Amino acid sequence: MEVRNRIVTTRKEIDEFPVESDFEVKCEDFVVLVKSGSDDIIVRNLYVSIDPYQINRMKSFSSTHKTTDLTTPILPSLDALGVGEVLASGNPEFKEGDIVIGITHWAEYSVVKAHTNLLRKLETLGFPLTHHLGILGFSGLTAYAGLFEVAKIKEGETVFVSAASGSVGSLVGQFAKLHGCYVVGCAGSDQKVTLLKEKFGFDNAFNYKQEKDLTATLEK
């Protein structure tokens, strides 16, 4: 079967705040067929996650490029944690129709190398597929591990969350509230501060851009 594959790519390295004109959608012919002897897996992407770490990977230089394979530059093709459906497989562990999660691409169709161990079958546990890219994905696991495994917070403590309106920070604040903590967050706009207090349930929040002395602000 041959299809048209739409792929999101970058036009150039992005060292400033990304804008729509930095990206373009390309269309390519794509054959949904695994060659004989290959263990490739062809996935139709259903959802992909756009995460903060990808910003650094779009830059011409970032110190994170030297850390792991997952933080090396990815231009012009973009990869991401994605949920998809297997359309064809040369690997006996995956069959057509399986719902999987792993590193795919900003595209409708992706070829995943089975030997990289970046793909696994997804047990949905009754949750929507999108939850596995958010609260049950990178952001949720980072928030949970940082709060309970590293910080080891206790009920009744005060928790301060920086960048609190982001995908990780917003979850840290909500987890801490559920654990019985007093939660304060900071964000970069009044609109985000309102979001923290009125939607995410933070006890208090402030716009750090309007504060001259962050230490004094936190002591309040």
Side-chain angles (χ1 to χ4, degrees):
M1 178 176 69
E2 185 172 298
V3 297
R4 292 288 285 171
N5 191 16
R6 291 187 296 176
I7 307 165
V8 178
T9 66
T10 54
R11 298 179 185 273
K12 58 182 177 61
E13 293 168 330
I14 305 172
D15 289 314
E16 303 296 332
F17 189 83
V19 294
E20 186 176 349
S21 59
D22 291 327
F23 304 90
E24 63 179 328
V25 177
K26 295 183 177 180
C27 291
E28 299 177 354
D29 292 331
F30 184 85
V31 179
V32 183
L33 178 68
V34 175
K35 295 180 180 179
S36 177
S38 170
D39 65 352
D40 287 351
I41 303 161
I42 297 177
V43 176
R44 179 171 68 90
N45 296 313
L46 302 175
Y47 303 98
V48 295
S49 177
I50 300 177
D51 295 292
Y53 78 90
Q54 292 168 322
I55 296 294
N56 283 340
R57 299 186 67 191
M58 297 175 192
K59 294 180 178 180
S60 57
F61 173 79
S62 170
S63 59
T64 61
H65 291 172
K66 299 180 180 180
T67 54
T68 71
D69 289 343
L70 289 181
T71 55
T72 54
I74 53 175
L75 303 175
S77 176
L78 301 168
D79 58 27
L81 182 66
V83 171
E85 177 187 5
V86 174
L87 298 184
S89 174
N91 186 297
E93 296 183 12
F94 298 89
K95 65 180 186 300
E96 183 179 347
D98 283 345
I99 300 299
V100 293
I101 186 170
I103 302 300
T104 61
H105 296 89
W106 287 16
E108 288 190 77
Y109 302 90
S110 296
V111 177
V112 180
K113 303 293 184 181
H115 65 271
T116 60
N117 296 319
L118 295 179
L119 198 71
R120 63 177 173 83
K121 293 181 183 179
L122 178 62
E123 296 292 338
T124 65
L125 304 175
F127 294 104
L129 296 180
T130 52
H131 281 31
H132 295 273
L133 300 179
I135 192 169
L136 300 177
F138 285 163
S139 296
L141 291 175
T142 301
Y144 185 91
L147 198 60
F148 297 109
E149 300 298 327
V150 179
K152 299 184 184 300
I153 63 166
K154 297 180 177 62
E155 182 179 355
E157 290 184 326
T158 296
V159 175
F160 169 65
V161 186
S162 179
S165 63
S167 61
V168 174
S170 60
L171 290 175
V172 168
Q174 291 174 83
F175 289 164
K177 282 296 297 179
L178 289 172
H179 199 63
C181 296
Y182 184 87
V183 181
V184 179
C186 73
S189 72
D190 291 341
Q191 182 181 14
K192 291 178 180 179
V193 168
T194 299
L195 181 72
L196 293 177
K197 293 192 288 187
E198 296 186 0
K199 183 172 183 178
F200 296 145
F202 281 57
D203 294 292
N204 210 335
F206 62 91
N207 182 346
Y208 67 86
K209 293 181 180 179
Q210 296 178 353
E211 302 296 334
K212 295 181 179 180
D213 188 338
L214 292 180
T215 300
T217 300
L218 290 173
E219 288 176 349
K220 295 178 183 179

